[in-house]
Amino acid sequence: MAPILLNCMGNDRNEYIKQQVQVKNPYLDTMEEDILYHFSLSTKTHNLPEMFGDIKFVCVGGSANRMKAFAQFIHQELTLPGNPDEIRDICEGTDRYCMYKVGPVLSISHGMGVPSISIMLHELIKLLHHAQCRDVILFRLGTSGGVGLAPGTVVITDKAVDYSFLPQFEQVVLGKVITRSTELDEGVASELLQYSSELQNFPTVIGNTLCTHDFYEGQGRLDGALCSFSHEEKLEYLRKAYDAGVRNIEMESTVFAAMCRVCGLKAAVICVALLNRFEGDQITSPHDVLVEYQQRPQVLVSHFIKKRLGLLV
């Protein structure tokens, strides 16, 4: 079976080039070889256009096991030939990230937190550029703490915001702070929300996502090894977050949104809430319930992909 392809050629070569994934680094053009170290790939040792040139959808998530499971799931959803249990980890030469290619879909793990996902994104965007990919959409699939939401609610991010609820990401470069916008593609978010209504028992909202640099103190948890605030102060901060449109909290969305925006990539963040942070800090739902919750972003994005590929009406 031939790879599933979408027609994204423009009317002329300029439009064709414009739609290719862009990088914002002039020094890359002067390099004889670009080693994507954390992927165990290179422009000299691998034919990246041949390996990845048909990629249209990239799905990233923190857990290696979860992204392998998503690759197997989307393999079945797209009814591709072969055994989904035998798909190969393209990054098997390294233990930093995992990567699986399933037709036009790339499934990659990114670890936890801004530093881990930012390293992965640099090499991913360069990979897509070297592979001459065009018209690609990126999705971050994850879990989060809900803010005023019932456990199991899926949150499609409107804007990824920082600790002060501003849609920005601050990156320190050579001792200076560079501020980048974290606004995501409104069209993709609206499309995802529309498709969520076609799924049964699938509570979904669009809201802002608070990105923190820590799972415990940074998210106002009272159950870490350190705690420098009171229960009342925690609730006050959560109320301020809610009033600012925040509906969930995680640790990767700002840099994901910022880097995609700078490079002109359409992107979306879809996370399920595992608990309502107004009601507690620890995740207490039974394992089987959590497994089903964690599959919800995958189900929604799979539905989106099948719609885009014309496999569903």
Side-chain angles (χ1 to χ4, degrees):
M1 179 179 177
I4 301 173
L5 295 174
L6 293 181
N7 180 15
C8 64
M9 283 291 290
N11 295 326
D12 53 34
R13 177 169 174 76
N14 289 336
E15 182 65 21
Y16 178 81
I17 293 173
K18 180 181 177 182
Q19 291 176 341
Q20 291 183 0
V21 173
Q22 302 297 311
V23 291
K24 302 296 182 180
N25 181 359
Y27 293 101
L28 290 179
D29 292 335
T30 68
M31 298 169 57
E32 292 186 6
E33 178 184 14
D34 190 4
I35 299 171
L36 308 179
Y37 174 72
H38 301 90
F39 287 167
S40 191
L41 296 170
S42 163
T43 54
K44 268 194 175 181
T45 58
H46 298 80
N47 187 335
L48 300 181
E50 182 178 284
M51 293 174 66
F52 301 102
D54 63 338
I55 290 297
K56 299 299 174 191
F57 310 98
V58 179
C59 302
V60 305
S63 163
N65 287 339
R66 192 182 306 154
M67 297 320 291
K68 179 179 181 180
F70 174 73
Q72 293 170 332
F73 172 67
I74 198 68
H75 187 284
Q76 295 173 323
E77 290 291 293
L78 299 182
T79 61
L80 296 176
N83 186 347
D85 294 330
E86 295 177 358
I87 57 175
R88 183 177 69 89
D89 180 4
I90 299 171
C91 294
E92 60 187 1
T94 176
D95 61 357
R96 294 297 182 183
Y97 306 106
C98 72
M99 177 190 296
Y100 302 93
K101 184 179 184 298
V102 183
V105 181
L106 205 59
S107 178
I108 311 176
S109 66
H110 60 59
M112 283 198 297
V114 163
S116 183
I117 192 175
S118 68
I119 294 168
M120 187 280 295
L121 284 170
H122 275 280
E123 297 188 15
L124 168 63
I125 294 170
K126 291 197 298 175
L127 168 63
L128 297 173
H129 173 72
H130 292 314
Q132 301 170 21
C133 294
R134 303 177 304 278
D135 199 26
V136 180
I137 302 176
L138 272 64
F139 302 93
R140 176 175 128 65
L141 315 177
T143 58
S144 62
V147 180
L149 298 178
T153 303
V154 173
V155 180
I156 301 165
T157 301
D158 179 15
K159 297 179 181 66
V161 300
D162 64 9
Y163 64 92
S164 56
F165 316 131
L166 296 176
Q168 64 183 26
F169 172 69
E170 295 183 341
Q171 174 72 55
V172 179
V173 179
L174 302 180
K176 300 177 181 179
V177 177
I178 295 177
T179 302
R180 293 173 174 143
S181 171
T182 57
E183 294 188 22
L184 291 154
D185 190 272
E186 293 182 4
V188 173
S190 297
E191 200 171 338
L192 284 163
L193 184 64
Q194 176 187 339
Y195 293 156
S196 72
S197 65
E198 300 174 7
L199 303 170
Q200 291 191 350
N201 301 318
F202 210 90
T204 308
V205 301
I206 286 185
N208 293 343
T209 296
L210 171 61
C211 180
T212 69
H213 295 293
D214 167 53
F215 184 79
Y216 286 97
E217 283 190 300
Q219 296 189 12
R221 279 185 156 86
L222 302 170
D223 58 343
L226 306 175
C227 185
S228 56
F229 48 86
S230 68
H231 181 260
E232 290 72 21
E233 289 172 319
K234 165 200 163 178
L235 292 179
E236 180 183 2
Y237 184 71
L238 290 178
R239 282 192 289 267
K240 288 180 179 179
Y242 187 89
D243 291 342
V246 171
R247 293 299 176 267
N248 64 332
I249 308 173
E250 46 85 271
M251 297 184 290
E252 293 88 14
S253 59
T254 50
V255 69
F256 175 80
M259 290 185 67
C260 288
R261 184 175 176 84
V262 169
C263 293
L265 287 162
K266 291 185 177 182
V269 178
I270 309 97
C271 292
V272 66
L274 298 183
L275 74 165
N276 182 355
R277 289 296 316 286
F278 280 113
E279 298 177 355
D281 296 330
Q282 298 205 332
I283 300 167
T284 58
S285 297
H287 176 72
D288 58 334
V289 173
L290 292 176
V291 168
E292 193 275 324
Y293 286 169
Q294 291 172 18
Q295 291 172 342
R296 291 184 180 184
Q298 300 181 17
V299 170
L300 179 55
V301 170
S302 169
H303 196 74
F304 180 101
I305 291 172
K306 289 190 291 182
K307 284 278 194 175
R308 281 294 184 99
L309 293 175
L311 301 178
L312 293 173
V313 285

